[in-house]
Amino acid sequence: VRVSELSRVTGVPVATIKYYLREGLLPRGRSTGRNQAVYADEHIRRLRLIRTLREIGRLGIEDVRAVLGAIADEELPLHDLLGVAHRALGPRPDPSPVTADVEAARADVDRFLDELGWQVGSGAPARRTLADALVALRRLGRDCGPEVFGFHAEAAERIAAYELERTSADDGRAAAVEGAVTGIVVFESALAALRRLAQEHHSRLRFGRRGSSRAPAEGSRPAH
Amino acid sequence: VRVSELSRVTGVPVATIKYYLREGLLPRGRSTGRNQAVYADEHIRRLRLIRTLREIGRLGIEDVRAVLGAIADEELPLHDLLGVAHRALGPRPDPSPVTADVEAARADVDRFLDELGWQVGSGAPARRTLADALVALRRLGRDCGPEVFGFHAEAAERIAAYELERTSADDGRAAAVEGAVTGIVVFESALAALRRLAQEHHSRLRFGRRGSSRAPAEGSRPAH
């Protein structure tokens, strides 16, 4: 297909495609002379992956390059490849100095994950995110340990196990990364939305009055 | 306590406390003459709540005012009060025009929630977030309906039910809101972090080699 068709199929503007070509993120198409080139299915797949990383994962160009490099490095085991994607998606390291309560919370989280038996790299950004959540609770005056996250940890593990069952190494490394990035980002957002919706539902079951709220029961107030 | 002590106990700077006093978000303390006032436990609690809304919920001053107003409105049922907090925490409405695929996804999500039997207000921001996630999957070329979120919906409902069990109306309306906001925001962040950590763990179980990855097995390479 021509670049215009490639743009139509993937929804990526032609100017953006040319930018990816210049940056070397997308391999050149087969030249057909006179400044034209044709692109194959591999270009469509690669472009979809870049789009996932950019738009869903909100990765910068250099992080996209790192992930694509990890995919190309056939020596790198799939698990480590997923680790590269995870780290690229994680929050940037916070440059502010680590206060004593943050340091204590990080140690607590490390111990908590050890006790769960989870094998997680010591530099995983999500360790810091979890410690920050614990710090937030404590600064609000709650006297709690990381065990306060126990129920959520169990739920998260069931979800992750379900998701990983659906990730196959057979589809190739690029497909595994695309699936992982989609899974990490899109389903993270979906899960957060579903939890809020379910909170509203359960809040209604628990505290709501029947029918639409704030509407007075029939006859309880004069019409006016 | 004096304003300096109020600042020390809550961790909110004196200048910020004075700003909240000027804005009427925090009631004035009991005047003890000569430009001094003393503050009571209710001020500490109110300040903690404002801090939760501002720092954890990242609410603007006007949204904080709306939530505090809803707490003060004793006529408003607790469920609706929680709804006010939910909406204040939700994403701002996206001003970009709604494309056909977004509209279709929103209708799909509405139907999906109906089928789940969840009672959720039609204006809940999380409906839009979930529809956006569905659009993202479809734009990536996945041919899927909202049922793709079925497993996550079940997990989210279990989590919400667990969380709501711990929310009591007996502690007062301000405490219920503080608990809800903390629950919505801090545990949302914690759940996302736990899911990523669990993904890494299960990815290692599934694709990782035993021991630290990329380190050669003992004796497989000469030391150098």
Side-chain angles (χ1 to χ4, degrees), chain A residues 52 79-80 119 121 140 152 157 163 167 183-184 188 195-196 199-204 206 213-214, chain B residues 52 73 79-80 119 121 140 152 157 163 183-184 188 195-196 199-204 206 213:
Chain A
T52 307
H79 169 68
D80 297 79
Q119 294 180 44
L140 291 170
H152 292 78
E157 190 177 356
E163 290 169 339
T167 303
I184 293 168
E188 180 168 304
R195 175 171 161 272
R196 288 189 181 204
Q199 281 174 340
E200 182 170 337
H201 172 57
H202 277 276
S203 158
R204 190 181 297 270
R206 196 171 166 85
S213 47
R214 249 208 157 165
Chain B
T52 308
D73 176 4
H79 169 68
D80 298 78
Q119 294 180 46
L140 291 170
H152 293 78
E157 192 178 354
E163 291 168 339
I184 294 168
E188 179 167 304
R195 176 171 160 273
R196 289 190 181 204
Q199 281 174 339
E200 182 170 336
H201 172 57
H202 277 276
S203 157
R204 190 182 297 268
R206 196 172 167 81
S213 47

Side-chain angles (χ1 to χ4, degrees), chain B residues 4-168:
Chain B
S4 56
E5 178 71 2
L6 187 61
S7 167
R8 202 191 57 75
V9 170
T10 59
V12 178
V14 170
T16 308
I17 294 177
K18 292 190 170 168
Y19 171 64
Y20 294 156
L21 286 166
R22 282 197 306 276
E23 288 286 325
L25 301 181
L26 190 67
R28 302 259 158 209
R30 189 168 54 81
S31 174
T32 56
R34 279 196 319 192
N35 214 13
Q36 286 205 328
V38 290
Y39 298 89
D41 280 354
E42 68 167 291
H43 292 94
I44 295 177
R45 280 196 304 272
R46 168 60 60 107
L47 207 44
R48 281 211 171 113
L49 174 60
I50 297 174
R51 191 181 176 178
T52 308
L53 295 169
R54 294 280 290 157
E55 293 184 17
I56 314 285
R58 304 199 175 282
L59 259 56
I61 287 293
E62 289 316 310
D63 281 328
V64 171
R65 198 188 304 281
V67 173
L68 296 178
I71 292 174
D73 176 4
E74 302 276 351
E75 293 266 296
L76 193 69
L78 185 59
H79 169 68
D80 298 78
L81 169 56
L82 296 178
V84 171
H86 252 99
R87 273 155 192 67
L89 290 167
R92 304 279 111 199
D94 184 351
S96 59
V98 176
T99 54
D101 60 345
V102 171
E103 204 160 331
R106 289 187 185 175
D108 286 344
V109 162
D110 288 346
R111 177 181 51 73
F112 176 63
L113 295 175
D114 274 352
E115 284 170 9
L116 286 175
W118 291 7
Q119 294 180 46
V120 181
S122 58
R127 282 185 188 264
R128 291 199 303 271
T129 310
L130 192 59
D132 288 345
L134 184 55
V135 169
L137 291 177
R138 286 173 174 169
R139 287 189 183 163
L140 291 170
R142 285 220 211 166
D143 178 25
C144 59
E147 294 71 24
V148 73
F149 300 128
F151 185 91
H152 293 78
E154 263 184 56
E157 192 178 354
R158 272 198 303 271
I159 292 166
Y162 170 86
E163 291 168 339
L164 261 295
E165 270 171 33
R166 272 147 198 79
T167 304
S168 168

Side-chain angles (χ1 to χ4, degrees), chain A:
Chain A
V1 302
R2 299 277 169 80
V3 69
S4 56
E5 179 70 2
L6 186 62
S7 167
R8 202 190 58 73
V9 170
T10 59
V12 179
V14 171
T16 308
I17 294 177
K18 291 190 169 167
Y19 171 63
Y20 295 156
L21 286 166
R22 281 198 307 276
E23 288 285 327
L25 301 182
L26 190 68
R28 302 260 158 208
R30 190 168 54 80
S31 174
T32 56
R34 280 197 317 192
N35 214 13
Q36 287 204 327
V38 291
Y39 298 89
D41 281 353
E42 69 167 288
H43 292 95
I44 295 177
R45 280 197 303 271
R46 167 60 61 107
L47 207 43
R48 281 212 172 113
L49 174 60
I50 296 174
R51 193 181 175 179
T52 307
L53 296 169
R54 293 280 290 158
E55 293 184 17
I56 313 285
R58 304 199 175 281
L59 259 56
I61 288 292
E62 289 316 310
D63 282 327
V64 171
R65 198 189 303 283
V67 172
L68 296 178
I71 292 173
D73 177 3
E74 302 277 351
E75 293 266 297
L76 192 69
L78 185 58
H79 169 68
D80 297 79
L81 170 56
L82 296 178
V84 170
H86 253 100
R87 273 154 192 68
L89 290 167
R92 304 278 112 198
D94 183 352
S96 60
V98 177
T99 53
D101 60 347
V102 171
E103 203 160 332
R106 288 187 186 176
D108 286 343
V109 162
D110 288 346
R111 176 181 52 73
F112 177 62
L113 295 176
D114 274 353
E115 283 169 10
L116 286 175
W118 291 8
Q119 294 180 44
V120 181
S122 59
R127 283 184 187 265
R128 290 199 304 269
T129 310
L130 192 60
D132 288 345
L134 184 56
V135 168
L137 291 177
R138 287 173 173 170
R139 287 188 183 166
L140 291 170
R142 285 220 213 167
D143 177 26
C144 60
E147 294 71 24
V148 73
F149 300 127
F151 185 91
H152 292 78
E154 261 183 57
E157 190 177 356
R158 273 197 303 270
I159 292 167
Y162 169 86
E163 290 169 339
L164 261 294
E165 269 171 35
R166 272 146 197 82
T167 303
S168 168
D170 302 341
D171 302 336
R173 297 162 63 82
V177 165
E178 179 168 332
V181 172
T182 309
I184 293 168
V185 180
V186 179
F187 282 84
E188 180 168 304
S189 161
L191 179 63
L194 286 162
R195 175 171 161 272
R196 288 189 181 204
L197 293 165
Q199 281 174 340
E200 182 170 337
H201 172 57
H202 277 276
S203 158
R204 190 181 297 270
L205 293 182
R206 196 171 166 85
F207 302 114
R209 304 197 222 146
R210 104 198 102 77
S212 67
S213 47
R214 249 208 157 165
E218 264 179 41
S220 71
R221 276 194 220 173
H224 59 134

